[in-house]
Amino acid sequence: MSDVDIPPVPHYPFRAAFPPEPRDNMGRTIAYALDFLLDTLDCSPDEPSVPSNEADLRLLPTTDPSMQKDRYSVIIWNDDKHSFDEAIQLICETTSRDRKEAAALAYAIDEHGCEIIDMNTNIPCLLEIARAISKIELGVTIRRAYDTFREQVVVVVIKWLLDIARSRLGTDTLIIHEVIAAELLAPRHHESHTYDSASHIPDLSSEVPNPSRIDWMFLYHTRLWKKPRISLKEMYHDTSLLVLSHLQQARNSHFTAVYPRVVDAYLLVDRETKTSIKYSTLQLFTVPSIASHIARYHGLITRLLDIITNFFTNQIVDKRILNAPGNTTEAAELDVDSFPFKSKRFMPVFSDLRYLYHNEPVQQFIARNPFSIRKFVKVCQLFMYVHPNKGAATNHVEYVTDSWISIFNVTPIAHHQGIWRGPQLGHAFAARQRYLHHRRRYHLAMRVGK
């Protein structure tokens, strides 16, 4: 049961009597379900990959306490690159399934986000199947059947959570939401046999000193697949869970704390970007009161500008965008042939910046904060005169590189949508001018009064 105190909604006319004992039992049940979910996802991969050999396969993180079971599963993950015919043909060629069975699997992959195509104890055969699938860059994983089964149970748990979040106790539609919210905002409890070897569990201590379950849920969203992701987003938003007026700030603070990690996953590893939790920013950053709070008390403007700088200067290690010192912008250089410039996922990150800058309270905050303005201008300068054309006065040019395509994709977004064109820059400086004007008038009035 959670120790987090969730205050009841004041003046709610439909409040039902709920004795402490059944409420505590409900909280314990929800807490156990959430901890099971998180303990399972601790060992789930961030992105599809195939071990190079059997020894590496056996070293993968697992929730299996005995590790005596040698049954493994091959799973294909959904993507937008491959057609149904490609998937069906590949399943037929790599397994003993006929076309009808392969078609059923392909449609299940599209509907749910992933599906098991083979499961047995013949590890060399399963590795061969997985390698053949990965050759056409179709997402595939091979893992212990025990872990795969637990992940299937996780889907059932998420459906159950969504179901009870949509339930009510008599006339009271809020009390179950409040119990779920209390457990989400409480710290998690690890299973003893899975936590003994915790090297595979991300270290959140630098970003979130005391992470709660909701922090881990946001962080592990990438490890889920299409159907459970959609169900979780419905639980967070569509059913008003954690969007009760007195819980909004808590939800926003937790999401903002892990936002850099969420962006890392979105830009670098996410296989289902359409269902990414990153898109929650549209509901958060466009609300003036929320945007103002996270800009003032969580430093999100500076962190977002650092993410853009460090991403485009390719400061990426182990699928993480480095949190470099604040003065890196001065010496940062762009490599237009690097991965970040060729990626097309950066546009929503610029959109997040635009959402924040379009709020007048954020503009006022930036106007009163010279450091934010300098940081903002330096990021703008990063994209000025990128990869300029050079005239060949004496040599004949046989061809032109494809770098201009990457430049063409990035700079219009940076200039016209994300950073310096449009109302946000003008509003920020106009707000600063108004602030300085009123401050001068105030000091002048004070001198005249004396």
Side-chain angles (χ1 to χ4, degrees):
M1 187 187 65
S2 169
D3 294 328
V4 177
D5 184 24
I6 300 294
V9 176
H11 312 302
Y12 181 59
F14 305 108
R15 181 64 68 186
F18 197 12
E21 185 176 354
R23 181 178 182 131
D24 292 347
N25 290 336
M26 177 184 287
R28 276 192 289 268
T29 304
I30 293 170
Y32 181 82
L34 291 170
D35 288 335
F36 175 87
L37 183 155
L38 294 173
D39 288 330
T40 301
L41 295 180
D42 278 337
C43 297
S44 299
D46 284 312
E47 58 181 336
S49 62
V50 179
S52 57
N53 53 57
E54 184 174 337
D56 289 344
L57 175 61
R58 293 183 182 277
L59 291 174
L60 291 178
T62 180
T63 53
D64 188 348
S66 63
M67 296 184 66
Q68 299 296 319
K69 307 173 184 69
D70 274 343
R71 182 172 291 272
Y72 285 80
S73 304
V74 175
I75 304 112
I76 290 183
W77 298 82
N78 184 45
D79 66 18
D80 298 325
K81 300 177 183 178
H82 299 85
S83 65
F84 280 103
D85 288 338
E86 283 181 296
I88 292 169
Q89 184 65 29
L90 195 60
I91 293 171
C92 289
E93 291 175 355
T94 56
T95 68
S96 58
R97 300 180 186 274
D98 59 30
R99 188 167 182 84
K100 183 177 180 180
E101 292 175 320
L105 287 171
Y107 282 101
I109 292 167
D110 179 68
E111 181 181 359
H112 301 294
C114 68
E115 189 63 48
I116 299 170
I117 64 162
D118 206 345
M119 180 192 303
N120 57 60
T121 57
N122 189 344
I123 296 177
C125 177
L126 295 177
L127 282 170
E128 186 178 346
I129 292 172
R131 292 189 193 107
I133 295 171
S134 65
K135 284 181 180 178
I136 66 167
E137 297 184 353
L138 183 60
V140 59
T141 52
I142 174 170
R143 305 184 56 231
R144 289 181 181 272
Y146 183 93
D147 296 313
T148 305
F149 174 72
R150 281 186 60 128
E151 289 175 345
Q152 291 174 332
V153 176
V154 162
V155 176
V156 177
V157 168
I158 291 173
K159 288 180 180 178
W160 174 74
L161 287 169
L162 179 60
D163 185 45
I164 63 172
R166 290 174 171 173
S167 304
R168 64 182 182 179
L169 184 65
T171 58
D172 194 335
T173 60
L174 297 183
I175 195 163
I176 296 178
H177 286 183
E178 292 166 353
V179 175
I180 298 174
E183 299 305 330
L184 282 171
L185 294 173
R188 62 182 289 194
H189 302 287
H190 296 270
E191 290 182 12
S192 58
H193 66 266
T194 59
Y195 194 56
D196 289 338
S197 56
S199 59
H200 58 279
I201 301 177
D203 181 11
L204 292 181
S205 59
S206 60
E207 295 119 306
V208 188
N210 299 298
S212 64
R213 292 188 181 102
I214 192 67
D215 296 315
W216 290 102
M217 298 280 281
F218 288 148
L219 182 67
Y220 282 167
H221 197 83
T222 308
R223 300 187 178 190
L224 291 166
W225 46 101
K226 184 177 180 179
K227 210 64 178 285
R229 285 189 186 192
I230 293 172
S231 296
L232 275 181
K233 293 179 79 172
E234 288 176 0
M235 187 180 73
Y236 295 146
H237 304 295
D238 296 346
T239 65
S240 299
L241 179 62
L242 290 182
V243 190
L244 304 173
S245 58
H246 59 298
L247 295 174
Q248 281 185 351
Q249 184 171 322
R251 189 273 306 265
N252 301 336
S253 298
H254 283 278
F255 181 80
T256 304
V258 297
Y259 174 79
R261 293 262 190 164
V262 170
V263 172
D264 285 348
Y266 175 83
L267 290 174
L268 303 175
V269 301
D270 200 345
R271 54 185 168 258
E272 294 243 8
T273 55
K274 292 181 181 178
T275 56
S276 172
I277 195 68
K278 195 213 77 69
Y279 288 110
S280 298
T281 56
L282 180 62
Q283 287 81 31
L284 299 180
F285 295 176
T286 55
V287 179
S289 59
I290 296 175
S292 176
H293 178 82
I294 60 181
R296 290 175 182 274
Y297 300 107
H298 295 277
L300 190 61
I301 295 289
T302 300
R303 296 168 77 183
L304 192 47
L305 292 172
D306 283 337
I307 288 172
I308 292 173
T309 299
N310 298 335
F311 176 68
F312 280 102
T313 54
N314 203 23
Q315 299 179 56
I316 300 169
V317 175
D318 295 331
K319 304 295 184 179
R320 290 287 313 278
I321 301 172
L322 297 180
N323 185 19
N327 59 356
T328 25
T329 315
E330 308 250 355
E333 293 184 3
L334 298 181
D335 179 5
V336 297
D337 294 317
S338 62
F339 156 76
F341 264 86
K342 296 178 181 179
S343 170
K344 295 183 180 178
R345 295 188 178 185
F346 54 79
M347 290 183 281
V349 180
F350 283 117
S351 295
D352 289 349
L353 194 61
R354 187 174 72 251
Y355 296 152
L356 290 170
Y357 282 158
H358 269 296
N359 292 283
E360 186 172 349
V362 175
Q363 296 167 9
Q364 295 285 347
F365 170 73
I366 295 173
R368 291 168 169 81
N369 190 334
F371 175 78
S372 294
I373 293 181
R374 288 195 297 270
K375 188 83 173 177
F376 177 82
V377 171
K378 287 175 183 176
V379 175
C380 294
Q381 290 175 334
L382 190 64
F383 296 93
M384 295 178 64
Y385 307 111
V386 178
H387 199 62
N389 291 326
K390 297 179 181 179
T394 58
N395 298 327
H396 175 66
V397 179
E398 293 284 345
Y399 63 93
V400 179
T401 66
D402 292 336
S403 300
W404 69 271
I405 299 176
S406 301
I407 301 298
F408 182 80
N409 287 334
V410 174
T411 50
I413 302 298
H415 296 177
H416 299 281
Q417 294 186 29
I419 296 186
W420 66 21
R421 193 174 172 181
Q424 53 268 25
L425 183 62
H427 285 178
F429 281 105
R432 177 164 176 77
Q433 292 302 317
R434 289 195 298 271
Y435 167 71
L436 294 174
H437 171 71
H438 289 298
R439 188 174 70 171
R440 284 193 295 268
R441 290 186 61 186
Y442 170 78
H443 287 301
L444 180 60
M446 293 294 291
R447 286 198 298 269
V448 171
K450 290 180 181 179

